[in-house]
Amino acid sequence: FYQKIEELKQRLKERGVFDEDKKIPVPAFVNNVCVITSKSGAVIHDIIKTVRKKNKSIDITVCDVRVQGTYAAADIAQALKRVDGLGFDIVIVARGGGSLEDLMPFYTEEVAMAVFEMKTPIISAVGHETDFSICDMAADLRMPTPTAAAEYIAYDEEELKSEILSLLNRGAQLISNNYEYKKMQLVSAMKSVSSRANEILSECAYNLKTINARLVSSVSAAFAQKQSQAGRVIAAFDKSSPLRRLDAGYFKIEKRGRIVSKVSDMERGDTVEIYGAGGSVNAVIL
């Protein structure tokens, strides 16, 4: 038996059946589990009792197989293939203790390959703590006894609820604290903005007042300068006005509505109009 087992171990090892990197991680929380074992044995009762101590919600399905004898290996391998596609979170292959001859179905290539090809995470719990079958080596996780496998999957439902509630309370408190902190930050920011806005408005008012004063001063200076220039122009126009010349003793002579600019423009007997300070007179050239 031992020689055949060692030869089989070597062959399976070379094929990568025991490689750690090919094992599927076993989930921490399961909702439905399939136990492949004999429903007439004490194992399934121990598993159900152990699970129900901590958890009332996990669904447990039993796949009844022969766990010793000539046809046990074929039964177990077929059961593994049959349940693999049924959507279980985890599969447990379990059997109580016994002699090596009794446990031989779990040392077969047929069972080892069926375990290795499983897509569903699988726990092997075969025999007592000292037993270490080929099925154990091929499984994703090995438990020393069926009861240990049950304890592993049976998370404490009430403890989990308590932890979740505690986390929710802590989360709510953190959210509340964060809200109050953000609220204080917002109020502080609004006060800062309001204060800064008043400063900006005061600064703008002062700047506008200064600019307005400069504009008034500049406009007044420009107006005074233009007024002075206009006065000089008016004085110049006034000084050069013909009326001013008439006031100085000069006369303007017109003949038939046209200004006479030289003596040769007049002939004896011409009637002319003479304009001077205070009015005009008609005259005849002699």
Side-chain angles (χ1 to χ4, degrees), residues 163-179:
E163 288 180 3
I164 291 173
L165 184 60
S166 177
L167 287 172
L168 288 173
N169 288 334
R170 285 175 57 193
Q173 187 61 46
L174 286 173
I175 291 171
S176 177
N177 293 343
N178 189 53
Y179 170 76

Side-chain angles (χ1 to χ4, degrees), residues 211-251:
I211 292 169
N212 184 60
R214 289 176 181 174
L215 283 172
V216 170
S217 177
S218 177
V219 169
S220 298
F223 181 77
Q225 182 182 3
K226 296 301 181 181
Q227 191 176 36
S228 176
Q229 290 177 350
R232 290 196 297 272
V233 171
I234 290 171
F237 276 125
D238 187 61
K239 187 176 180 181
S240 60
S241 173
L243 296 177
R244 289 290 184 186
R245 300 184 69 182
L246 293 177
D247 288 340
Y250 292 93
F251 289 85

Side-chain angles (χ1 to χ4, degrees), residues 14 23 31 38 97 144 219 233 257:
E14 291 173 358
K23 296 185 182 300
N31 293 319
S38 172
V219 169
V233 171

Side-chain angles (χ1 to χ4, degrees), residues 139-261:
D140 297 311
L141 182 66
R142 182 252 177 183
M143 284 287 131
T145 63
T147 303
E151 290 176 347
Y152 183 85
I153 66 165
Y155 59 90
D156 193 320
E157 198 171 15
E158 293 303 319
E159 183 180 347
L160 180 62
K161 289 178 181 178
S162 178
E163 288 180 3
I164 291 173
L165 184 60
S166 177
L167 287 172
L168 288 173
N169 288 334
R170 285 175 57 193
Q173 187 61 46
L174 286 173
I175 291 171
S176 177
N177 293 343
N178 189 53
Y179 170 76
E180 292 299 327
Y181 176 69
K182 294 297 182 184
K183 182 179 177 181
M184 289 173 59
Q185 281 188 321
L186 180 60
V187 170
S188 177
M190 290 177 66
K191 288 181 179 179
S192 177
V193 169
S194 177
S195 176
R196 182 57 183 155
N198 289 333
E199 291 177 7
I200 293 172
L201 287 173
S202 299
E203 186 177 349
C204 288
Y206 174 78
N207 290 337
L208 285 173
K209 187 176 180 181
T210 303
I211 292 169
N212 184 60
R214 289 176 181 174
L215 283 172
V216 170
S217 177
S218 177
V219 169
S220 298
F223 181 77
Q225 182 182 3
K226 296 301 181 181
Q227 191 176 36
S228 176
Q229 290 177 350
R232 290 196 297 272
V233 171
I234 290 171
F237 276 125
D238 187 61
K239 187 176 180 181
S240 60
S241 173
L243 296 177
R244 289 290 184 186
R245 300 184 69 182
L246 293 177
D247 288 340
Y250 292 93
F251 289 85
K252 180 181 73 170
I253 301 174
E254 290 184 1
K255 184 176 71 174
R256 292 190 292 275
R258 293 184 178 181
I259 297 175
V260 177
S261 59

Side-chain angles (χ1 to χ4, degrees), residues 45 117-118 187:
H45 299 290
E117 292 170 357
M118 290 280 289
V187 170

